[in-house]
Amino acid sequence: SQGPAFANPRTQEVFPALMGGKPIPPKESEGQKKEKLANENSIAQTQAALAAIKAHPDAFGMVVGTAASKGGALGAKWANSKVGEKGAEARAFVFAKAGSMAHELLGAAQTPSEAARVKSFIPQDTDDATILTNKLNGLMKEYQIKQQVYGGGQPSSPAPTGGNVNLEDALKKYGN
């Protein structure tokens, strides 16, 4: 849709209203505001998940993931003891984000064939830190493109991305 405009009553020509030499953008609807806010939240959660992976890369991978997902209660207990309390928190946070990614891509109900098709894009229990980072960075690019479409540039409160990231701070600020 277009922003405010002026019409010449004699010629019926329509001219966009200008501010600073540029057309004034249309007012955002409530739905657009909600979508933009949800996208900003997704960016922050994804950045926090990336921070968790960076802070605890050894908490991810084939051995730990297989034990945690296929070893029943004993396997999960062993995996948690191997990665420590902070590593277990990091795994829980990253895989909670993975669950929301699956929901975003597939909706609430998903067939086995749909789930198999998007499996390569969604973090899996057995993915190592590099693979998880690559998958989440791919998702981040999609969120950033949406942010540009919404006209918001970068999110209003970006998560820390460089240097030493404190997982507790990231989880407090960007966790659910």
Side-chain angles (χ1 to χ4, degrees):
S1 71
Q2 295 183 9
F6 298 104
N8 182 330
R10 282 185 286 159
T11 64
Q12 302 298 314
E13 288 181 274
V14 177
F15 302 96
L18 301 178
M19 180 180 289
K22 296 181 181 179
I24 298 173
K27 186 176 179 182
E28 286 183 323
S29 70
E30 287 303 314
Q32 289 169 319
K33 288 178 186 176
K34 285 180 183 177
E35 285 181 29
K36 185 177 177 182
L37 185 61
N39 192 64
E40 285 185 6
N41 186 44
S42 294
I43 288 172
Q45 287 179 344
T46 304
Q47 287 175 324
L50 287 165
I53 294 166
K54 186 176 181 179
H56 300 281
D58 294 337
F60 304 95
M62 180 68 73
V63 173
V64 173
T66 302
S69 64
K70 309 261 189 272
L74 187 59
K77 189 172 185 171
W78 176 85
N80 286 343
S81 70
K82 178 150 176 57
V83 301
E85 183 181 338
K86 299 299 180 193
E89 287 176 15
R91 285 184 59 78
F93 187 82
V94 169
F95 293 116
K97 179 61 187 164
S100 67
M101 283 175 68
H103 183 76
E104 285 177 38
L105 291 171
L106 298 167
Q110 53 187 283
T111 66
S113 63
E114 288 173 324
R117 208 171 29 245
V118 298
K119 187 176 184 178
S120 63
F121 303 105
I122 298 172
Q124 303 297 311
D125 284 344
T126 54
D127 289 344
D128 65 20
T130 302
I131 292 170
L132 289 169
T133 299
N134 290 340
K135 288 180 177 183
L136 291 173
N137 279 332
L139 180 66
M140 181 64 76
K141 287 179 186 172
E142 181 181 338
Y143 290 143
Q144 289 169 338
I145 289 168
K146 284 182 181 179
Q147 198 66 19
Q148 290 173 351
V149 169
Y150 295 144
Q154 292 300 312
S156 57
S157 179
T161 55
N164 293 327
V165 178
N166 184 311
L167 179 59
E168 290 85 20
D169 292 345
L171 293 177
K172 284 179 191 171
K173 188 167 185 180
Y174 300 106
N176 286 339

